[in-house]
């Protein structure tokens, strides 16, 4: 409770002081005239700052001050304490024995200089509030908030200080001297928070004591109760403030340098952090130290306006806030090297600009002003040059829309290539994007084997022309462009492209983009070919496992192969359904429209109807093929009903009588989907083998559940065979055969019995343990 009250008290006090500073800044102009006492006991103008009220009012160096606001100069507070004419309304001066009146009320009190100071103070205050909102629970964030508040106070006190306000000068000294102390305290807490690294704070305590007890309170009391020593104390405080700040600045750099030497060989967070902080301090404080504090200490005046130099100080808290909020840092070595190189490049054009200003406006080109302009030019050009890459990246969609569009398409295609596992997927995933991006009529990818071609295409492209060219029958059609993707011993692949829809040539950027795509395609096509080859080899190996005992050791391998087979069958069935069958449906509909639209002869009408009926036959055959490839009905109507549909279709075309019986169907349907799918494939393969080899008149198939076993029995009265000569399927065959059925049984931990001999038919009995699972 006490801490909250103290915080509120300090906050109210700070706000009140800031309001007082703002009042002083709006009430009085910045006169900017220093005075000294000559040997004759008269006060004269010793210095005049440019672009301030004293110069605009007509005062010159050497003018004798007779009266200030109607009083003797020695009785005027600002002259007595600071040796300046601050807060004066009018002055009676003498030049060459002639007296004249000077008024300072005509000018604008709150200048652009003051507006900049208030803006910087506001930004510091807003930054502190945002930091607390973001990292309220971070101790280092609180100390960084104090740094920002201290900077805010210094910028606000600046306006009152240069107008001769005693409180403004006291707070200005305090805020400037507190900057290095608060930073070092922040750094100690920050290292402890981020890296659990403890620095000693004994020196910090002494520094706090010096500021608060020595200079901040005791000596500056004379600012409100003037004494003959007030001006001397003021000068001492000014020098001490600069020396103290420089001491804190050098101390901070020395601590950072020691830490850098300790961690310079490490590629760690603390090493990068130390380099980042060191760079931040150097960039932030070098301008104000080199162009303001040191010249003030040596010559009594600065080479650069303190406010302009103070702008660079903002880089310091921004960097510290970045360190507090983030957990990862950029490589500061790379960043600094790039900044230094861009700064060196910026020096030459900046020097040329400054020389041109000196030549064109010699009256306005004072050395101090030219120096400030040179520094600002270097800073601005460095920022612009450093940001060019990022700026062009942001503006690329506007400046180079075609290039941006091609790069976006390239990223999309490159990403999609990683998901392709089969040759047919190239059409839907890749070819569509290539054709649309290049705005051509069509494109194709071609595999040329020793005795065959495999082509996938998208858009309007003549496949016959491609085949004729690759078979050496005739030259390539002028509308086509062919690119060789890769060449292997087993195959050669090509990418074929038509002309653009706009009848224009491909641009340079488009050709470069296409070459990159072809490079990606070469890798992807080779991978797909290897996947296809590996799959066939694995299937061959699975079919040639020598015996059941060895097969038990390869159950995982068999399951994998059957999963691959199912996926391929589903893909083929889906392609047939979504392409060929849909095309046939639309063809049938168009023929019906033609039949209704035109008056055909009876003979033409009969032929048209015959064609439509033949399309129905093709569609029916394709539907049956899709069903055999992908028996989706297992999940919808169950295994028994699906087998019944299969038997019904096969019975119509089989050269033998085909019968199917099932028992305990309800119990069978409660079992897992994987087992039911394998049972369907076994029945399917047994029927196919019967059609090829059995020469039977009758085939019986029974499916029952008995003692938690799923039992499948196949019996035929065909020619039979010697069981030792059971066919082993070769690579590339349809996948049917006794060995394929055995593999399925072993993958389900089942058993089988095969009874056959020449001329006595065959009996095949399968027993599979049933496990509950996902049912239909």
């Amino acid at each position: 409770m006490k801490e909250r009250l103290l915080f509120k008290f300090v906050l109210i006090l700070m706000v009140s002081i800031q309001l007082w500073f703002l009042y002083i800044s709006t009430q009085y102009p910045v006169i900017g005239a220093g005075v000294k006492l000559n040997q004759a006991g008269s006060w004269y103008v010793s210095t005049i700052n440019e672009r301030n009220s004293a110069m605009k009012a007509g005062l010159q160096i050497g003018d004798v001050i007779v009266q200030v606001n109607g009083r003797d100069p020695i009785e005027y507070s600002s002259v007595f304490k600071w040796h300046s004419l601050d807060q004066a309304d009018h002055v009676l001066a003498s030049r060459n024995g002639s007296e004249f009146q000077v008024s300072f009320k005509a000018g604008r009190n709150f200048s652009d200089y003051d507006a900049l100071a208030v803006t910087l103070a506001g930004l510091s205050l807003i930054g502190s509030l945002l930091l607390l909102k973001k990292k309220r629970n971070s101790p280092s964030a609180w100390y960084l908030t104090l740094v920002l508040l201290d900077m805010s106070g210094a910028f606000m006190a600046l306006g009152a200080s240069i107008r001769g306000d005693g409180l403004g000068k006291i707070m200005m000294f305090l805020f400037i001297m507190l900057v290095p102390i608060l930073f070092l305290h922040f750094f100690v807490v920050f290292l402890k928070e981020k890296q659990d690294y403890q620095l000693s704070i004994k020196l910090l305590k002494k520094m706090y004591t010096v500021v608060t007890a020595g200079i901040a309170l005791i000596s500056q009391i004379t600012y409100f109760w003037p004494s003959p020593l007030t001006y001397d104390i003021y000068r001492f405080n000014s020098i001490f403030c600069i020396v103290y700040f420089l001491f804190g600045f050098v101390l901070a750099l020395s601590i950072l340098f020691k830490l850098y030497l300790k961690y310079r060989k490490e590629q760690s967070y603390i090493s990068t952090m130390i380099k980042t902080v060191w760079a931040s301090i150097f960039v932030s404080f070098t301008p104000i130290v080199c162009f303001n504090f040191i010249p003030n200490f040596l010559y009594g005046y600065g080479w650069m306006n303190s406010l302009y130099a103070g702008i660079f100080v903002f880089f310091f808290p921004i960097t510290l806030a970045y360190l507090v909020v983030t957990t990862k840092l950029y490589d500061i070595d790379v960043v600094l090297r790039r900044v230094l190189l861009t700064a060196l490049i910026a020096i030459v054009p900046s020097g040329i600009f400054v020389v041109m200003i000196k030549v064109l406006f010699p009256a306005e080109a004072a050395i101090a002003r030219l120096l400030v302009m040179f520094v600002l030019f270097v800073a601005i050009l460095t920022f612009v040059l450093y940001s060019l890459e990022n700026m062009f990246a942001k503006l690329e969609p506007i400046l180079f829309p075609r290039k941006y569009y091609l790069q976006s398409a390239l990223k999309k295609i490159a990403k999609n290539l990683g998901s392709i596992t089969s040759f047919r997927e190239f059409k839907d995933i890749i070819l569509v994007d290539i054709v649309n991006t290049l705005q051509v009529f069509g494109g194709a990818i071609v595999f040329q084997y020793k005795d065959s071609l495999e082509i996938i295409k998208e858009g309007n492209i003549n496949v016959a022309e491609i085949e004729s060219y690759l078979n050496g029958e005739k030259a390539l059609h002028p509308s086509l462009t062919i690119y060789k993707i890769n060449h292997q011993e087993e195959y050669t692949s090509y990418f074929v492209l038509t002309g653009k829809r706009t009848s224009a040539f491909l641009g340079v950027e488009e050709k470069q983009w296409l070459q990159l795509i072809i490079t990606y395609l070469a890798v992807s096509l080779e991978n797909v070919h290897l996947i296809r080859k590996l799959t066939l080899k694995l299937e061959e190996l699975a079919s040639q496992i020598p015996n059941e005992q060895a097969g038990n050791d390869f159950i995982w391998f068999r399951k994998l192969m059957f999963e691959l087979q199912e996926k391929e069958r589903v893909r083929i069935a889906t392609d047939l359904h979504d392409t060929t069958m849909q095309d046939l449906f639309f063809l049938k509909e168009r023929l019906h429209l033609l039949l209704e639209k035109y008056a055909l002869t009876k003979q033409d009408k009969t032929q048209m109807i015959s064609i439509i009926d033949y399309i129905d036959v093709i569609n029916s055959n394709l539907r049956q093929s899709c069903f055999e490839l992908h028996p989706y009905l297992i999940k919808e109507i169950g295994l028994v009903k699906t087998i019944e549909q299969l038997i019904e279709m096969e019975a119509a075309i089989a050269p033998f009588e085909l019968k199917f019986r099932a028992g305990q169907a309800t119990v069978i349907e409660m079992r897992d989907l994987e087992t039911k799918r394998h049972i369907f494939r076994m029945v399917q393969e047994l029927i196919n083998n019967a059609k090829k080899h059995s020469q039977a008149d009758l085939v019986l198939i029974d499916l029952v559940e008995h003692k938690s076993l799923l039992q499948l029995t196949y019996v035929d009265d065909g020619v039979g065979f010697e069981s030792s000569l059971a066919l082993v399927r070769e690579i590339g065959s349809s996948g049917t055969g006794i060995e394929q059925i055995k593999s399925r049984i072993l993958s389900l931990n089942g058993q089988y019995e095969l009874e056959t001999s020449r001329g006595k038919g065959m009996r095949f009995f399968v027993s599979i343990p049933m496990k509950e699972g996902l049912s239909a």
Side-chain angles (χ1 to χ4, degrees):
M1 189 66 179
K2 291 182 180 180
E3 292 179 353
R4 289 186 178 182
L5 289 174
L6 179 62
F7 178 79
K8 289 181 179 179
F9 172 75
V10 172
L11 182 63
I12 293 172
L13 180 63
M14 288 296 295
V15 171
S16 301
I17 292 174
Q18 302 290 19
L19 290 175
W20 169 255
F21 292 159
L22 188 61
Y23 168 76
I24 294 295
S25 298
T26 55
Q27 187 69 20
Y28 302 104
V30 178
I31 296 176
V35 294
K36 285 185 178 180
L37 195 63
N38 58 20
Q39 294 178 352
S42 300
W43 292 92
Y44 70 96
V45 178
S46 58
T47 58
I48 294 180
N49 294 332
E50 294 183 13
R51 295 190 299 176
N52 287 329
S53 298
M55 177 174 287
K56 294 176 181 178
L59 278 180
Q60 297 179 6
I61 294 177
D63 290 346
V64 176
I65 305 301
V66 180
Q67 290 182 349
V68 181
N69 289 352
R71 290 185 291 174
D72 190 270
I74 195 62
E75 297 177 355
Y76 189 71
S77 175
S78 178
V79 173
F80 181 74
K81 292 191 294 186
W82 326 122
H83 288 196
S84 66
L85 298 176
D86 297 319
Q87 300 185 18
D89 294 330
H90 52 85
V91 169
L92 181 63
S94 173
R95 183 185 303 159
N96 299 325
S98 299
E99 293 185 352
F100 58 95
Q101 189 82 17
V102 176
S103 176
F104 301 113
K105 287 187 175 183
R108 184 161 58 98
N109 295 340
F110 195 77
S111 63
D112 296 338
Y113 182 87
D114 297 309
L116 178 59
V118 172
T119 301
L120 294 176
L123 291 174
S124 301
L125 182 61
I126 293 171
S128 65
L129 296 176
L130 291 175
L131 183 62
L132 278 185
K133 183 179 179 181
K134 182 76 175 178
K135 303 287 286 186
R136 182 180 296 273
N137 298 323
S138 169
S140 60
W142 282 93
Y143 279 95
L144 182 54
T145 299
L146 291 177
V147 174
L148 288 167
L149 290 175
D150 184 73
M151 289 176 56
S152 176
F155 285 123
M156 283 300 295
L158 183 61
S161 175
I162 60 179
R163 287 172 170 83
D165 182 70
L167 181 60
K169 292 186 179 295
I170 292 176
M171 299 307 292
M172 192 68 190
F173 289 146
L174 277 174
F175 288 138
I176 290 176
M177 288 189 289
L178 279 173
V179 168
I181 306 176
L182 289 173
F183 162 69
L184 286 172
H185 206 153
F186 157 79
F187 194 61
V188 169
V189 176
F190 180 72
L191 284 177
K192 178 67 177 175
E193 178 183 323
K194 291 285 186 179
Q195 293 291 314
D196 199 23
Y197 186 88
Q198 185 66 56
L199 284 174
S200 174
I201 61 172
K202 292 181 180 179
L203 183 60
L204 283 176
K205 293 180 179 179
K206 293 179 181 179
M207 293 175 73
Y208 278 123
T209 302
V210 169
V211 172
T212 54
I215 302 301
L217 297 178
I218 300 174
S219 66
Q220 294 182 2
I221 293 176
T222 60
Y223 288 8
F224 302 104
W225 290 277
S227 75
L229 297 176
T230 298
Y231 179 71
D232 295 327
I233 293 174
Y234 167 67
R235 289 296 302 157
F236 173 78
N237 284 349
S238 300
I239 296 172
F240 183 83
C241 176
I242 295 173
V243 172
Y244 190 86
F245 183 91
L246 293 175
F247 170 75
F249 179 69
V250 173
L251 179 63
L253 290 180
S254 63
I255 292 174
L256 287 169
F257 184 69
K258 288 181 180 178
L259 290 173
Y260 169 73
L261 292 178
K262 183 176 180 180
Y263 293 101
R264 70 184 186 279
K265 295 183 179 180
E266 295 184 9
Q267 297 295 327
S268 60
Y269 179 85
I270 189 171
S271 174
T272 306
M273 181 187 66
I274 290 167
K275 289 184 284 187
T276 303
V277 174
W278 190 94
S280 168
I281 292 179
F282 182 83
V283 172
S284 299
F285 294 109
T286 297
I288 197 168
V289 169
C290 294
F291 299 116
N292 194 277
F293 287 170
I294 292 178
N296 255 308
F297 179 74
L298 296 176
Y299 307 111
Y301 62 91
W303 295 343
M304 179 187 287
N305 191 294
S306 58
L307 182 61
Y308 298 149
I311 296 175
F312 291 92
V313 178
F314 259 97
F315 187 76
F316 164 68
I318 290 173
T319 306
L320 298 184
Y322 166 69
L323 290 173
V324 170
V325 173
T326 59
T327 56
K328 295 182 179 180
L329 301 174
Y330 289 103
D331 191 339
I332 192 64
D333 293 337
V334 177
V335 175
L336 280 178
R337 191 181 302 117
R338 187 175 174 185
V339 170
L340 289 174
L341 288 174
T342 51
L344 288 173
I345 295 172
I347 286 175
V348 175
S350 299
I352 294 173
F353 290 153
V354 171
V355 170
M356 290 175 62
I357 292 172
K358 176 67 176 176
V359 172
L360 296 174
F361 309 100
E364 300 290 331
I367 296 298
R369 186 177 297 176
L370 290 174
L371 182 62
V372 173
M373 293 175 67
F374 176 76
V375 173
L376 289 176
F377 278 143
V378 171
I380 293 170
L381 285 176
T382 300
F383 174 76
V384 171
L385 291 173
Y386 188 88
S387 306
L388 275 179
E389 182 180 357
N390 189 49
M391 288 168 60
F392 276 113
K394 298 285 187 183
L395 296 174
E396 190 177 39
I398 301 172
L399 298 176
F400 311 103
R402 187 60 180 164
K403 181 180 179 181
Y404 177 77
Y405 178 66
L406 290 173
Q407 288 179 344
S408 300
L410 180 64
K411 291 177 183 177
K412 180 183 177 183
I413 292 173
K415 181 180 179 181
N416 291 337
L417 280 171
S419 63
I420 292 178
T421 57
S422 66
F423 187 53
R424 290 291 170 184
E425 291 178 355
F426 279 97
K427 176 180 179 180
D428 296 330
I429 299 179
I430 301 301
L431 272 180
V432 174
D433 287 333
I434 295 176
V435 170
N436 291 336
T437 301
L438 295 179
Q439 298 177 356
V440 294
F441 289 106
I445 298 175
V446 183
F447 263 5
Q448 184 180 31
Y449 303 101
K450 292 180 180 179
D451 55 356
S452 64
L453 287 175
E454 188 174 4
I455 301 175
I456 59 170
K457 71 181 187 72
E458 172 62 26
N460 186 13
I461 187 169
N462 194 329
V463 174
E465 292 285 348
I466 299 172
E467 292 177 347
S468 299
Y469 170 75
L470 293 178
N471 291 330
E473 297 173 0
K474 61 179 184 180
L476 187 67
H477 194 276
S479 65
L480 299 178
T481 306
I482 190 165
Y483 303 88
K484 182 181 287 187
I485 300 176
N486 49 25
H487 175 71
Q488 303 292 340
E489 184 179 351
E490 299 177 8
Y491 74 96
T492 303
S493 59
Y494 301 93
F495 181 73
V496 186
L497 205 64
T498 66
K500 297 188 72 171
R501 297 168 192 160
T502 57
S503 300
F505 291 104
L506 289 177
V508 176
E509 290 180 344
E510 291 173 322
K511 289 180 179 179
Q512 292 174 349
W513 181 87
L514 189 57
Q515 289 298 328
L516 282 174
I517 291 294
I518 290 173
T519 303
Y520 293 165
L521 282 176
V523 178
S524 185
L525 285 172
E526 179 64 17
N527 290 338
V528 170
H529 176 73
L530 291 174
I531 290 172
R532 176 187 289 182
K533 190 173 179 180
L534 177 62
T535 302
L536 293 174
K537 290 291 185 183
L538 290 175
E539 289 178 356
E540 181 181 15
L541 177 61
S543 68
Q544 294 177 351
I545 293 174
N547 54 57
E548 287 79 2
Q549 184 176 357
N552 290 330
D553 297 330
F554 286 87
I555 289 176
W556 62 271
F557 180 66
R558 294 181 185 277
K559 288 183 177 180
L560 175 61
M561 295 313 304
F562 288 131
E563 287 178 6
L564 291 175
Q565 287 179 14
E566 287 298 329
K567 287 182 179 179
E568 186 67 10
R569 284 171 172 159
V570 169
R571 185 190 64 77
I572 294 172
T574 303
D575 284 348
L576 286 174
H577 181 274
D578 293 344
T579 57
T580 308
M581 291 181 67
Q582 294 299 320
D583 291 341
L584 288 172
F585 173 78
F586 288 121
L587 176 59
K588 179 182 173 182
E589 291 297 314
R590 293 190 68 178
L591 290 175
H592 272 299
L593 289 174
L594 292 174
L595 196 61
E596 295 173 359
K597 186 174 181 180
Y598 298 102
L600 302 175
T601 64
K602 185 176 181 180
Q603 184 179 359
D604 292 339
K605 196 170 186 179
T606 302
Q607 288 182 354
M608 186 75 76
I609 293 173
S610 177
I611 293 172
I612 293 173
D613 291 340
Y614 186 64
I615 291 174
D616 286 335
V617 172
I618 297 174
N619 220 347
S620 177
N621 291 334
L622 284 174
R623 189 175 292 107
Q624 181 177 346
S625 298
C626 289
F627 170 73
E628 292 176 356
L629 286 167
H630 179 39
Y632 58 91
L633 292 177
I634 293 177
K635 197 170 184 179
E636 296 181 6
I637 63 175
L639 174 63
V640 174
K641 294 288 186 183
T642 305
I643 293 177
E644 288 176 352
Q645 286 204 10
L646 175 65
I647 297 296
E648 183 180 346
M649 288 188 294
E650 293 290 351
I653 59 174
F656 45 75
E657 185 180 357
L658 182 59
K659 294 182 179 180
F660 171 67
R661 293 177 298 192
Q664 293 86 33
T666 305
V667 179
I668 293 173
E669 302 301 347
M670 292 174 60
R671 302 306 171 175
D672 65 288
L673 184 60
E674 179 187 7
T675 300
K676 291 189 284 187
R677 188 180 290 119
H678 279 294
I679 293 295
F680 177 84
R681 291 299 183 197
M682 290 180 201
V683 173
Q684 192 179 32
E685 289 161 3
L686 284 167
I687 295 173
N688 286 334
N689 274 283
K691 289 191 295 185
K692 291 179 181 179
H693 310 294
S694 71
Q695 301 179 27
D697 295 321
L698 176 63
V699 173
L700 299 175
I701 298 174
D702 286 342
L703 180 63
V704 297
E705 189 273 340
H706 180 67
K707 295 182 179 180
S708 296
L709 295 173
L710 189 60
Q711 296 178 343
L712 174 67
T713 305
Y714 168 90
V715 179
D716 70 43
D717 59 357
V719 296
F721 57 89
E722 294 296 333
S723 60
S724 59
L725 299 177
L727 296 176
V728 178
R729 74 180 182 88
E730 298 178 355
I731 184 170
S733 67
S734 62
T736 60
I738 295 299
E739 292 300 326
Q740 182 77 358
I741 298 172
K742 288 180 181 179
S743 295
R744 291 187 183 276
I745 296 169
L746 292 174
S747 72
L748 297 172
N749 295 318
Q751 297 178 348
Y752 67 91
E753 296 175 6
L754 175 62
E755 298 176 6
T756 183
S757 61
R758 290 193 180 275
K760 294 186 178 180
M762 183 184 81
R763 179 181 180 274
F764 193 75
F765 175 75
V766 179
S767 179
I768 297 171
M770 298 191 50
K771 55 181 179 180
E772 294 186 2
L774 179 63
S775 65

